Amino acid sequence: MTQFRAAITGIHAWAPDYLLTNKELETMVDTTDEWIMTRTGIKERHILKGEGKGTSDIGTEAVKGLLKKTGTSPDEVDLLICATVTPDMQFPATANIISDKVGIKNAFSYDLNAACSGFIYALETGAKFIQSGAYKKVVVVGADKMSSIVDYTDRTTCIIFGDAGGAVLLEPTTEDVGIMDTKMGTDGSGRVHLHQKAGGSVKPASHETVDAREHYIYQEGQAVFKFAVTNMADVSVDIMKRNNLTSDDIAWLVPHQANMRIIEATARRMGLDKEKVMINIERYGNTTNGTIPMCLHEWEHRLKKGDNVVLAAFGGGFTWGAVYLKWAYDGSK
Ligand code: UT7
């Protein structure tokens, strides 16, 4: 039987126009541009404005662009997975809504929630459908409208998050490119440090939950920071070791953009110069499932066939993981 690898054969991403700057945040909560830059590395974030707009609108822009630039007809798509923590609604899945909006009709589609690690979890999942030989074209979307669950009176979280998303096309290849190895982890005991208190089955929405502001992100920043620094670096170093990769072998690290200090610590542990690290946190903040595809899209024109690329993430759950892949094509499509 032919052995397939799953390769990313196209990438597109999209962020809304509105820019929420540190200067504007200074007028909303007790904070300063200097504090935000020093502690997080974030200068501005994109925010999706407009009544009735949700994560599917971000995902739809990304998928439309992806299909166009890869010359893929919606009819050819077999499966669409959307990683998100801010679905349009509890059900149906945002993946179903995106599929409808872009005209994907011959596919099945579903959402996947692994917080900030969702995009690489979804990539791992989509890749397995390709490797098995079952499907030929899988679209993996990572998108979030984080502004829909951010409390803009809480200075410890509102400075971090933004809205954006991206999508990749996975296709089978018999060449020596594509997803080579993955390592994922979960520790659900970490949920106490980062979660959304109400709106789920344990605590459905009520007047009380709204009054107590429990439909927003709750984060114990320092605790999450410690786990994030350790786990994201450990998993990235592990995947290097088990694939006999030295820092010289790696062309690019694509880290989840949660905090500049976490990104720098991971790069340091991997022995990588900053020039090899995709970083755009300054302009987008933490867009949760959007960070990694947003980076890949921005750096697409500099990627070359055969480049060794490591994707790494850490997020609520806790969840974390790393993907080692060999990039499958030269430059922008
Ligand atoms: O992507 C999902 C995973 N999430 C993460 O990886 C996030 C990990 N955590 C972090 O990135 C950081 O912990 C934060 C950016 C959230 C916070 O940075 P920190 O260096 O850990 O700050 P801190 O929470 O220890 O707060 C230090 C001080 C506190 O004041 P006191 O108690 O020392 O007087 C905070 O009240 O800074 C204060 N503070 C602020 N001051 C100005 C907290 N937020 C702000 C703010 N502006 N926005």
Side-chain angles (χ1 to χ4, degrees):
M1 214 175 92
T2 315
Q3 288 291 306
F4 297 112
R5 283 215 173 84
I8 293 176
T9 55
I11 167 89
H12 195 69
W14 187 82
D17 290 336
Y18 188 86
L19 285 183
L20 175 58
T21 61
N22 289 351
K23 281 279 159 234
E24 186 176 353
L25 281 167
E26 283 178 358
T27 68
M28 295 159 66
V29 288
D30 181 15
T31 193
T32 60
D33 173 51
E34 205 247 325
W35 191 96
I36 302 171
M37 275 305 281
T38 318
R39 301 293 178 116
T40 69
I42 303 168
K43 194 89 189 159
E44 58 195 25
R45 326 96 197 105
H46 292 241
I47 302 294
L48 183 61
K49 299 268 186 184
E51 191 87 4
K53 296 271 183 210
T55 295
S56 72
D57 294 291
I58 299 171
T60 297
E61 290 295 336
V63 176
K64 267 188 189 161
L66 175 73
L67 297 184
K68 188 165 177 227
K69 72 197 272 194
T70 56
T72 307
S73 151
D75 291 341
E76 294 177 85
V77 175
D78 299 305
L79 163 64
L80 184 145
I81 306 173
C82 178
T84 187
V85 293
T86 52
D88 280 18
M89 45 188 81
Q90 283 275 15
F91 73 90
T94 300
N96 306 156
I97 302 170
I98 295 171
S99 298
D100 178 52
K101 288 182 175 175
V102 301
I104 292 174
K105 301 217 182 293
N106 299 328
F108 68 116
S109 64
Y110 59 89
D111 286 357
L112 184 154
N113 181 346
C116 293
S117 309
F119 180 75
I120 60 169
Y121 271 47
L123 201 61
E124 160 80 324
T125 309
K128 291 293 182 271
F129 283 101
I130 295 282
Q131 285 161 16
S132 72
Y135 300 110
K136 299 250 177 318
K137 290 187 194 289
V138 174
V139 173
V140 176
V141 184
D144 273 299
K145 182 188 171 186
M146 293 306 289
S147 60
S148 64
I149 55 167
V150 165
D151 181 351
Y152 286 100
T153 66
D154 174 10
R155 70 174 182 172
T156 68
T157 51
C158 73
I159 53 127
I160 297 172
F161 297 98
D163 305 337
V168 296
L169 181 63
L170 288 176
E171 291 182 278
T173 178
T174 50
E175 289 187 63
D176 190 29
V177 293
I179 294 176
M180 313 300 283
D181 193 16
T182 57
K183 188 171 184 197
M184 306 285 154
T186 302
D187 178 0
S189 68
R191 67 189 179 280
V192 294
H193 303 297
L194 179 52
H195 57 264
Q196 193 177 328
K197 292 191 183 303
S201 57
V202 167
K203 214 180 212 193
S206 66
H207 286 294
E208 288 73 28
T209 61
V210 171
D211 290 345
R213 310 184 78 78
E214 290 181 339
H215 294 270
Y216 295 121
I217 298 161
Y218 170 82
Q219 175 168 258
E220 294 161 9
Q222 269 191 23
V224 178
F225 187 91
K226 278 187 206 138
F227 281 99
V229 164
T230 310
N231 283 286
M232 205 161 108
D234 281 356
V235 75
S236 306
V237 169
D238 279 358
I239 211 153
M240 281 174 77
K241 277 193 187 147
R242 72 185 199 188
N243 290 282
N244 299 315
L245 295 169
T246 67
S247 47
D248 288 341
D249 298 325
I250 293 175
W252 296 101
L253 167 66
V254 193
H256 170 53
Q257 316 276 308
N259 186 310
M260 184 67 101
R261 292 180 288 147
I262 299 172
I263 296 171
E264 285 169 353
T266 303
R268 219 177 300 125
R269 283 273 311 280
M270 294 172 77
L272 296 179
D273 292 339
K274 232 174 161 182
E275 292 70 49
K276 289 184 167 187
V277 188
M278 297 188 191
I279 305 174
N280 62 13
I281 189 170
E282 185 169 338
R283 285 172 288 119
Y284 296 100
N286 180 350
T287 59
T288 303
N289 287 286
T291 60
I292 291 176
M294 284 289 290
C295 282
L296 286 174
H297 178 239
E298 189 171 334
W299 270 264
E300 183 189 26
H301 66 288
R302 295 181 60 188
L303 285 159
K304 292 194 290 297
K305 188 171 180 178
D307 274 356
N308 288 315
V309 180
V310 173
L311 318 179
F314 180 88
F318 292 134
T319 56
W320 61 89
V323 174
Y324 161 45
L325 56 87
K326 279 184 192 281
W327 197 249
Y329 59 95
D330 290 321
S332 294
K333 288 219 164 178

